[in-house]
């Protein structure tokens, strides 16, 4: 019997971005979206267009760049939101408006302060309005996992009648349990009279660590779209992870009567790209994309693998994009090899000049570090683009004195909104001194929530990738910096975080405002 198509809806750029500190620039979103397109994701939720001018521009840029995936923007069930979403997705070959309203008693009473009938009316108005602007409309019942079945049936039937093609049943707070969630989906499909006119979708959060299990149980019950994110990124404990869902369906065709069109070979490169851009490292034991996911430590396992790989491996590392021979470029590589490798990583240059700048930096890096890996290239481009896009702060020069028995001293020169300023400061270590010097000039008042250094590749010539998380006035942002000198990488990361605080000052959260 031929398998049914399971639609993969990736929301890394929207729900993933709602992880505190995971905000992405327009350019970064386009890079991730191009990788998702290569991976053959069906639908890419590129953002929440009304959230800010930056979000709107990012959704639009993704809609312009991506050709083969449907591009979607989230909107509350409000006309202004929906109009903005429609405007943002206009350049897409295939666009979708995703509108939502809360349906659980607790949300309707306390958050919306609306009667259930008013919620249905609002949902119907929103879906009708959206259908006048786009043929492809998805409707979500926020907090469906805690909503009452009779009410869900009524609102879902009304939304389908109003023109919604996809009905999403989110477990917004990660409260569902696989068996019960599957039962909820099955009952909806059976009881809603016009359920055959829509695709049922699931969107699970991972608060109890059950997001993937819940999504797969729902697929067994008839859901034909899964909403997920790369690395399971997302609000709070995250969303169902794309790589786990896709590989579960692929590895167990005996269990699942569906198939996706995903090309899994892009899974690991995309996971790395998302991790580099957001500054959220992937835990080593994370399924599929963790560094240890295919590593065998115990002698018995190693022996078994050598005799017959399937003794201890249910998937092939190469199938998901782990490659053994990962050395890609070196000092003698030319511009074409450089450009081609970056294209394979989903990185395209807007102009020859941008390519030339990146190539010069690559040559400088290759002088310091002889073997250049994909991870180095990703970090190099992320780093240079962040610096080029920085409108507020740029690092011009820095110097650090550090000696046994003496307090380290840092001198920095920054370009602050076009003006070159110098400062120096002492600190308990060189990084502390640099941060203090930067703070002397910017007086941001931001508090440092996280500082982490990660060697991008192995060896002491590795680039250090630094993540700095800053909090200010309730907002949290991440900054990333990479360099073979970890003190310089730290300065870059701190400056990138300060720029991010500046750039995302006007941003709103989709669930923050009441209708
Ligand atoms: O978790 C959720 O309910 C959402 C909706 C907006 C789809 O992200
Ligand atoms: Zn969500």
């Amino acid at each position: 019997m031929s398998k049914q198509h399971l639609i993969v809806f990736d929301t890394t750029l929207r729900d993933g971005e709602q992880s505190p500190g995971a905000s992405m620039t327009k350019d970064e979103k386009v890079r991730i979206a191009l990788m998702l397109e290569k991976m053959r994701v069906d639908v890419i939720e590129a953002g929440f267009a009304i959230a800010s001018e930056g979000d709107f521009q990012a959704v639009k840029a993704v809609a312009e760049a991506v050709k083969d995936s449907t591009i979607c923007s989230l909107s509350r069930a409000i006309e202004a939101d929906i109009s903005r979403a429609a405007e943002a997705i206009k350049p897409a070959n295939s666009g979708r408006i995703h509108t939502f309203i809360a349906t659980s008693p607790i949300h309707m009473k306390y958050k919306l302060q609306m009667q259930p009938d008013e919620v249905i009316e609002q949902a119907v108005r929103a879906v009708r309005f959206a259908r006048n602007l786009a043929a492809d409309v998805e409707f979500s019942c926020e907090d469906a996992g805690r909503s009452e079945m009779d009410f869900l049936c009524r609102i879902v039937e009304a939304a389908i009648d109003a023109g919604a093609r996809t009905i999403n049943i989110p477990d917004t707070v990660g409260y569902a349990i696989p068996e019960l969630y599957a039962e909820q989906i099955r009952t909806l499909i059976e009881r809603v009279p016009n359920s055959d006119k829509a695709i049922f979708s699931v969107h699970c959060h991972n608060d109890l660590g059950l997001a993937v299990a819940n999504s797969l149980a729902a697929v067994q019950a008839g859901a034909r779209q899964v909403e997920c994110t790369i690395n399971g990124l997302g609000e709070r404990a995250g969303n169902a992870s794309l790589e786990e869902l896709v590989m579960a369906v692929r590895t167990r065709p005996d269990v699942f009567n569906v198939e996706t069109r995903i090309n899994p070979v892009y899974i690991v490169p995309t996971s790395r790209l998302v991790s580099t851009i957001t500054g959220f490292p992937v835990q080593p034991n994370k399924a599929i994309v963790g560094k240890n996911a295919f590593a065998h430590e115990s002698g018995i396992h190693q022996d078994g693998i050598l005799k017959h790989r399937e003794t201890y491996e249910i998937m092939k590392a190469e199938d998901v994009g782990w490659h053994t021979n990962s050395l890609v470029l070196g000092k003698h590589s030319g511009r074409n090899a450089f450009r081609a490798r970056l294209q394979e990583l989903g990185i395209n240059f807007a102009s020859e000049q941008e390519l030339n700048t990146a190539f010069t930096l690559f040559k400088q890096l290759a002088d310091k570090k002889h073997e250049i890996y994909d991870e180095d290239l990703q970090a190099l481009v992320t780093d240079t683009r962040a610096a080029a896009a920085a409108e507020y702060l740029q690092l011009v020069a820095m110097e650090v004195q550090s000696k046994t028995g003496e307090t380290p001293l840092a001198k920095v020169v920054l370009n602050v909104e076009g003006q070159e300023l110098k400062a120096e400061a002492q600190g308990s270590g060189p990084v502390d001194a640099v941060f203090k010097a930067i703070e002397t000039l910017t007086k941001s008042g931001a508090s440092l929530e996280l500082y982490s250094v990660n060697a991008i590749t192995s060896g002491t010539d590795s680039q250090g990738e630094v993540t700095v998380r800053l909090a200010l006035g309730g907002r949290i942002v991440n900054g990333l910096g990479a360099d073979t000198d970890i003190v310089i990488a730290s300065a870059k990361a701190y400056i990138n975080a300060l720029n991010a605080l500046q750039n995302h000052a006007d941003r709103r959260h989709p669930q923050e405002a009441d209708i």
Side-chain angles (χ1 to χ4, degrees):
M1 206 173 81
S2 78
K3 303 240 175 195
Q4 288 186 15
H5 178 55
L6 178 64
I7 298 170
V8 175
F9 175 117
D10 180 278
T11 182
T12 307
L13 304 180
R14 197 278 296 171
D15 216 325
E17 203 194 20
Q18 284 170 221
S19 306
S23 47
M24 304 165 216
T25 64
K26 178 174 86 175
D27 177 57
E28 290 165 346
K29 282 196 170 189
V30 170
R31 271 172 71 191
I32 295 173
L34 289 171
M35 281 301 269
L36 295 172
E37 181 188 32
K38 272 195 173 185
M39 204 197 280
R40 308 197 70 218
V41 160
D42 299 276
V43 186
I44 299 173
E45 187 162 57
F48 175 48
I50 194 100
S52 71
E53 180 59 25
D55 275 52
F56 174 82
Q57 293 301 342
V59 177
K60 192 158 166 256
V62 170
E64 279 160 4
V66 170
K67 301 285 169 256
D68 291 334
S69 308
T70 296
I71 304 304
C72 170
S73 172
L74 184 67
S75 60
R76 292 168 301 172
I78 302 177
E79 293 189 358
D81 278 39
I82 297 168
S83 301
R84 198 77 176 135
E87 187 66 25
I89 60 165
K90 214 184 247 167
N93 277 352
S94 161
R96 174 181 294 188
I97 297 175
H98 177 189
T99 187
F100 74 96
I101 193 165
T103 53
S104 63
I106 186 168
H107 275 231
M108 292 192 287
K109 180 169 176 195
Y110 294 104
K111 189 180 88 164
L112 300 178
Q113 297 177 341
M114 285 167 78
Q115 293 302 315
D117 284 344
E118 291 172 326
V119 171
I120 296 185
E121 279 164 30
Q122 179 87 38
V124 167
R125 264 200 308 275
V127 172
R128 282 211 186 109
F129 186 75
R131 272 305 305 266
N132 284 332
L133 302 172
D136 187 354
V137 173
E138 170 168 336
F139 172 70
S140 280
C141 311
E142 191 194 3
D143 203 17
R146 293 187 299 172
S147 300
E148 285 165 359
M149 183 50 76
D150 287 347
F151 182 67
L152 270 187
C153 287
R154 280 178 58 210
I155 196 163
V156 165
E157 181 181 354
I160 297 174
D161 261 347
R165 275 202 203 164
T166 304
I167 295 293
N168 187 34
I169 307 297
D171 179 24
T172 305
V173 292
Y175 182 69
I177 301 293
E179 248 182 89
L180 302 179
Y181 190 53
E183 195 47 40
Q184 193 182 23
I185 301 297
R186 192 174 293 113
T187 308
L188 274 171
I189 294 175
E190 277 167 14
R191 278 190 32 197
V192 171
N194 51 3
S195 66
D196 59 321
K197 309 244 168 359
I199 302 265
F200 278 74
S201 164
V202 287
H203 172 116
C204 297
H205 280 270
N206 208 26
D207 300 67
L208 293 173
L210 292 170
V212 170
N214 285 330
S215 306
L216 291 173
V219 168
Q220 294 295 65
R224 288 295 173 263
Q225 174 175 287
V226 279
E227 301 197 353
C228 46
T229 57
I230 299 291
N231 300 339
L233 201 68
E235 183 91 34
R236 304 182 310 279
N239 289 57
S241 106
L242 178 146
E243 57 277 10
E244 294 174 23
L245 286 172
V246 166
M247 290 315 288
V249 166
R250 210 180 141 92
T251 308
R252 297 302 306 267
D254 54 325
V255 174
F256 297 102
N257 188 29
V258 291
E259 58 192 6
T260 73
R261 57 170 206 156
I262 296 294
N263 181 351
V265 84
Y266 291 106
I267 284 180
V268 168
T270 311
S271 155
R272 276 207 206 112
L273 181 65
V274 169
S275 167
T276 308
I277 284 176
T278 57
F280 279 58
V282 175
Q283 78 201 53
N285 59 328
K286 165 81 177 64
I288 324 286
V289 293
K291 200 162 80 220
N292 294 350
F294 292 88
H296 297 275
E297 182 68 22
S298 105
I300 297 177
H301 288 208
Q302 286 173 351
D303 181 54
I305 291 274
L306 289 173
K307 288 180 173 142
H308 187 72
R309 195 181 56 77
E310 278 88 6
T311 48
Y312 285 102
E313 271 186 14
I314 56 165
M315 295 167 276
K316 285 198 200 132
E318 313 84 89
D319 287 355
V320 294
W322 288 104
H323 39 85
T324 40
N325 180 14
S326 53
L327 168 64
V328 281
L329 296 174
K331 198 177 162 121
H332 302 294
S333 306
R335 188 191 313 263
N336 283 344
F338 176 71
R339 189 206 309 253
R341 187 63 207 153
L342 287 171
Q343 263 168 0
E344 275 184 55
L345 294 173
I347 300 166
N348 293 303
F349 293 99
S351 64
E352 279 302 298
Q353 198 197 330
E354 202 198 352
L355 168 67
N356 290 345
T357 313
F359 188 63
T360 309
L361 291 165
F362 158 72
K363 284 288 184 183
Q364 285 168 6
L365 180 63
D367 271 340
K368 292 191 246 172
K369 181 177 189 298
H370 300 304
E371 296 167 339
I372 310 283
Y373 298 88
D374 283 346
E375 295 87 331
D376 289 311
L377 295 176
Q378 303 268 28
L380 182 133
V381 174
T382 304
D383 211 48
T384 49
R385 286 193 172 167
E391 283 170 6
Y392 167 54
L393 269 189
Q394 275 168 338
L395 177 66
V396 178
M398 61 179 270
E399 186 189 319
V400 179
Q401 289 162 20
S402 179
K403 222 172 169 184
T404 1
E406 281 185 17
T407 310
L409 172 74
K411 296 178 185 173
V412 297
V413 185
L414 298 185
N415 185 316
V416 186
E417 289 178 300
Q419 213 191 336
E420 216 159 278
L421 301 173
K422 290 181 189 164
E424 56 179 71
Q426 288 188 312
S428 56
V431 172
D432 189 43
V434 169
F435 286 10
K436 283 190 172 129
I438 296 173
E439 200 50 37
T440 310
L441 289 177
T442 58
K443 298 185 180 50
S444 77
S447 65
L448 182 68
E449 301 287 303
L450 172 113
Y451 169 74
S452 82
V453 189
N454 174 37
I456 293 186
T457 52
S458 54
T460 48
D461 68 347
S462 166
Q463 292 195 84
E465 184 174 57
V466 175
T467 306
V468 164
R469 187 170 301 157
L470 296 180
L472 184 68
R475 280 176 320 110
I476 303 174
V477 295
N478 275 339
L480 262 169
D483 201 285
T484 47
D485 179 327
I486 58 166
V487 185
I488 296 178
S490 303
K492 288 180 181 175
Y494 195 76
I495 288 169
N496 285 343
L498 290 173
N499 279 320
L501 272 178
Q502 200 76 6
N503 288 345
H504 295 279
D506 64 335
R507 193 148 199 281
R508 285 162 57 194
H509 187 286
Q511 274 97 341
E512 112 193 337
D514 293 343
I515 286 176

